[in-house]
Structure formats: C-alpha cells, structure tokens
Amino acid sequence: MKFKLILILVLISLLSCNKDELEPTTNPPLVFEYQLIWEDEFNGSDINRDDWTFEIWNAGHVNNEWQKYVESDDNYKVENGKLHITVTKTDPLGGFGNYNSTRLISKNKQEFKYGRIEFKAKMPSGRGTWPALWMLGSNIDEVSWPKCGEIDVLEYVGYQENKIHNNIHTQDDYGATANGEAINLSTAEENFHIYGITWTSSKIEFYLDDPTNITNTYKPSNRTEDNWPFSQDFFIIMNFAVGGIWGGLQGVDETIWPQTMEVDYVKVYQLMQI
C-alpha cells in the first residue's frame, strides 16, 4: 500500500514538471504605435529647400483668388521656431491682383501614404482671409483635380470668425463640400492649435488638438477609384489666399492688411512595430 502511494506521488510530480512541454506556447501579440518619421519645426532661419518648393502663381489662377503667390521676404519668414506666411497689399487701393502671399508645397520632396499628419498653427483674422493647411494626391499632373484627391486638414475663412473647417474632395463629388465639417473654436486666432488627420487604408479621421478628439470621419462603405483616391502618396501644402469663391464670399476688408498665419510645426507619424 505504501509503495502504491509513493508511485502515485512520483507520477503526479512528473506530470506537473512536463505540463509546460505538453501545452503549446502562445506568442505575444504584435504591438504597433504611431512614431514620428518626418517633421519640420522651422528652427532655422529659412525654409528647408530639400522639403519645400515655392509655388509661383498669378492672381486668379484658382478659385478667383485675389493674391499672387511669390517668393519674397515680405511674405514669409522663419523666425523663433515658427513659419510666418504673410499677405501684403501691393497697392494702397487694394483690389484683385494687388496682394502678395506665399504658397509652399512638398511635392516630389516629402510625400506620404497613411499615418498621422498634423500642423500646429495660429490663424489670421479679418474678412477676406483664407489660409489653408492641406494635401493633394501625388498623381495630380497625370489625372488632374479632383480625381487625384484632396485632404483639407484645415481651412479658415475669416468672415466666419472662430470656426475651422476640414474637408475631403474626390472625383465622386467633383469638389463639392459634402464631406466637410465646421467646428467652433473660439481661440483659433489667439492660440496655436493642432490640426491633424489619422489616415488608414479604409478611413480618414480629422482631429483637433488630440487624436482622440475626432471632428470628422470619411469612410466610404464601398471604396472605388472615384471616392477613394487615398491609397497613394500625398504631398503637403501651406498657403494663405485672399478673397476667392469662398474666402471672399462676403467681400474683402481692405483695411486689415498685412495679416499672418503662423505655423509652429508640421509632423508626420506612421504605425511602427514596437
């Protein structure tokens, strides 16, 4: 009887020791997080020409806008860690064609597909101002707009004081604003705010100040070439327009100039395994 009891105890011990060998191990799940892959914090004394190109246009090139886009120290500067884009009036009487401004693009230099793209910026004020922080599809020269797709991370029309806008444009809506949102923001002109998107293979979420503060989501249930041109690289645009079909909808106040949009940084994050 004593021998049987000892044998049973030995068997239990052996089974206990081999338990881990008998049960298959489970690999830990892969973990991903958004990590910074590119940024411009404007810490130098000039625009980084490896990242940005000045786009030079005459007044009325698009949207019946009043400004010329030029490369001039009067209309942009990098100072104290910020980019300043300034609109100046070139004729005391103002009017169409008598304003200069800056338009910077990262086309063929910094282009991105998916991730988080965010700007930290402070808006100008006054009727007729129309600054924007946005993106266009890299194939625009081949397929034209709006088939290339457009992501308006931020637009601000000065006659709608303290109301920010975001929007999506595609061939499906041919540039209509059916996919946009307007958000009240009482300190848009006084404080810097973060304007961003989280862009994946199936949706684009717009956020204000924090990725969890989602203000708009674009997620077509059936993605097609016409409603989802967002599976390609996009480039970044920063510009400050005057008047035009939206910014000038209630006219232009000729007494407010110069006006400046300030950009503290542009940052791009993408999902990386950690």
Side-chain angles (χ1 to χ4, degrees), residues 9-44:
L9 290 173
V10 169
L11 288 172
I12 291 173
S13 177
L14 288 172
L15 287 172
S16 177
C17 290
N18 292 329
K19 182 179 180 182
D20 291 338
E21 296 178 13
L22 294 172
E23 293 182 356
T25 58
T26 302
N27 292 325
L30 298 179
V31 178
F32 293 84
E33 69 175 19
Y34 280 100
Q35 297 184 7
L36 184 69
I37 63 163
W38 178 82
E39 65 181 335
D40 194 339
E41 292 192 307
F42 307 108
N43 286 328

Side-chain angles (χ1 to χ4, degrees), residues 167-207:
N167 199 41
I168 292 288
H169 295 285
T170 68
Q171 181 71 24
D172 189 55
D173 56 30
Y174 203 80
T177 55
N179 303 303
E181 288 292 339
I183 302 98
N184 291 324
L185 182 60
S186 63
T187 57
E189 298 175 5
E190 291 78 21
N191 297 337
F192 284 88
H193 289 276
I194 296 171
Y195 306 98
I197 60 169
T198 301
W199 170 22
T200 71
S201 60
S202 63
K203 66 180 178 180
I204 299 173
E205 293 178 333
F206 295 82
Y207 62 87

Side-chain angles (χ1 to χ4, degrees), residues 193-224:
H193 289 276
I194 296 171
Y195 306 98
I197 60 169
T198 301
W199 170 22
T200 71
S201 60
S202 63
K203 66 180 178 180
I204 299 173
E205 293 178 333
F206 295 82
Y207 62 87
L208 173 63
D209 288 327
D210 186 279
T212 63
N213 184 25
I214 298 169
T215 59
N216 186 16
T217 299
Y218 181 70
K219 186 180 181 181
S221 56
N222 179 32
R223 293 187 300 281
T224 68

Side-chain angles (χ1 to χ4, degrees), residues 83-131:
L83 167 67
H84 303 251
I85 295 181
T86 299
V87 171
T88 56
K89 190 162 59 170
T90 59
D91 186 295
L93 297 178
F96 182 89
N98 292 320
Y99 290 87
N100 284 351
S101 186
T102 296
R103 178 180 171 108
L104 291 167
I105 65 172
S106 71
K107 185 180 180 186
N108 299 323
K109 295 182 176 181
Q110 295 293 346
E111 299 184 346
F112 306 97
K113 176 182 173 182
Y114 308 146
R116 280 192 177 137
I117 296 95
E118 62 181 33
F119 306 83
K120 186 175 182 181
K122 183 168 69 171
M123 295 299 103
S125 63
R127 183 166 45 85
T129 58
W130 187 6

